[in-house]
Every structure is written in structure tokens, then in C-alpha cells.
Amino acid sequence: GIAYGGTGKSLTDPNADRIYFWDDSAGETAWLTASTGLTISGTSITEFNDVIVSGALTLPAAGTAKLEGDLTVNGTLTPSTSLIVFDNAGSTQNIKGSLGAFTFYRLEIDNTGGSLVLQKPVTITNGLILTEGLITATSTNTLTLNNAVTITGGSSTSYVYGPLVHVSTGNSLTKVFPIGKGDYHPLTLT
């Protein structure tokens, strides 16, 4: 069964075996709280407000999860091959928690006029999509793109503000750094 306590309350599955999500067009806030193992399956878009993981969360292979709030992981997060979209127009979203570092397969920021603040180091292994909004990194909480990462987008309204590491494992590779400070100033190394 499902327990829902209303706006600002936790949405949890007392049996820890399933949980349901819905498009809550009435403006209510639905929270995903995973205190034990939870696997989300399917390939359609699943939308969340704030996601708080205190156990283990496995995202679907080939699925898309849209987050309209913060991602807090105090347990483990297995991204599989899913796309995680940070999408909350004009707001600041955060990646945070006690997890030492985050790894995503594909990550997109589509937060018009807003930002995604990294409060932990983040590594992306396959794709970074810069649609709208800034990704803010620091010297402690860097954004690292593995060698195989494909970058899509990047503009005066969507770039990485702060340290960006782009791993290279060969001599003839071209690497793009979609960075900026106050405006988009991409850097290409060949």
C-alpha cells in the first residue's frame, strides 16, 4: 500500500516493495522517500519534486526521471542508463546528502532562469545536456565528465559555472568545456 500525508509530507510504501507516482496538477507536493531498496522500472518519464534517499535507489535503464526539486542521497543511488533531468523554472536545485560523490549516466539541466548547485562531486559517464540553466560547481564539488561523455547544447543561458574536469584517454581527442562566468565562454582543447 501507499501512505500519503498531504503537502510537505512523505510519500512512502510501508511494504518497501512498490511506490506509485502521478502527475499532481493540483499543486500538491509529492516526495519520494526510499528508506530501503527501491527500484523504479519502465521507460516513460517519471516526475518528482524533492527526492530523498536514505536507503538504496535504482533508476530505470533507458528511462527518464525529471526532478523539480532537490536530490538528497543519504544512502546509495544507482543511475543505470537513465536520463536525469533537473527541471524547475527559475529555482535553485541542489544535489546533496551524505553520499560522498554522485555518478549519473546522462544528466540534463532544463531550468530556465535557475541553477543546479552541486553540493557533492558529480561524475557523468555518458551525456550532458545543457538546455536551460546553470550548473554551479566548486573546487570541492566539481563536475567531472568521463571520456565517453557527449555534450549537447550549451549557450549564454546554459553552461557550467565553476570547475569542470573532462577526462581524456587519448592523444587525438577534442574536448569541449561548456563553461562560463556571467556569460557562456566555451573552451575547446584539441
Side-chain angles (χ1 to χ4, degrees):
I2 215 84
Y4 178 60
T7 302
K9 303 296 181 188
S10 294
L11 172 69
T12 61
D13 178 6
N15 299 322
D17 60 355
R18 63 187 177 278
I19 195 163
Y20 300 96
F21 306 98
W22 60 92
D23 178 9
D24 193 354
S25 59
E28 296 286 327
T29 301
W31 298 63
L32 165 65
T33 302
S35 56
T36 59
L38 176 65
T39 299
I40 300 172
S41 60
T43 57
S44 62
I45 295 175
T46 305
E47 294 188 29
F48 307 99
N49 192 341
D50 290 306
V51 174
I52 302 167
V53 180
S54 55
L57 176 63
T58 302
L59 296 173
T64 299
K66 282 190 174 184
L67 279 75
E68 296 180 348
D70 294 340
L71 174 60
T72 305
V73 179
N74 299 317
T76 61
L77 174 69
T78 305
S80 302
T81 56
S82 56
L83 169 64
I84 308 300
V85 180
F86 287 87
D87 176 10
N88 191 359
S91 296
T92 299
Q93 295 175 272
N94 298 281
I95 295 177
K96 59 186 181 176
S98 64
L99 183 64
F102 287 74
T103 299
F104 298 100
Y105 184 73
R106 292 184 301 149
L107 185 141
E108 177 179 359
I109 182 165
D110 190 6
N111 185 341
T112 304
S115 65
L116 173 61
V117 177
L118 308 184
Q119 295 183 20
K120 293 290 181 173
V122 170
T123 299
I124 300 173
T125 62
N126 180 269
L128 172 63
I129 304 167
L130 298 166
T131 304
E132 289 289 335
L134 307 181
I135 298 176
T136 302
T138 66
S139 59
T140 304
N141 302 313
T142 58
L143 177 61
T144 300
L145 307 178
N146 280 0
N147 185 55
V149 169
T150 301
I151 299 169
T152 306
S155 68
S156 62
T157 60
S158 191
Y159 54 87
V160 178
Y161 174 75
L164 173 64
V165 176
H166 201 156
V167 177
S168 178
T169 57
N171 294 333
S172 62
L173 298 174
T174 299
K175 293 296 175 186
V176 176
F177 293 79
I179 56 175
K181 182 176 181 180
D183 200 2
Y184 183 50
H185 300 285
L187 173 67
T188 302
L189 299 177
T190 56

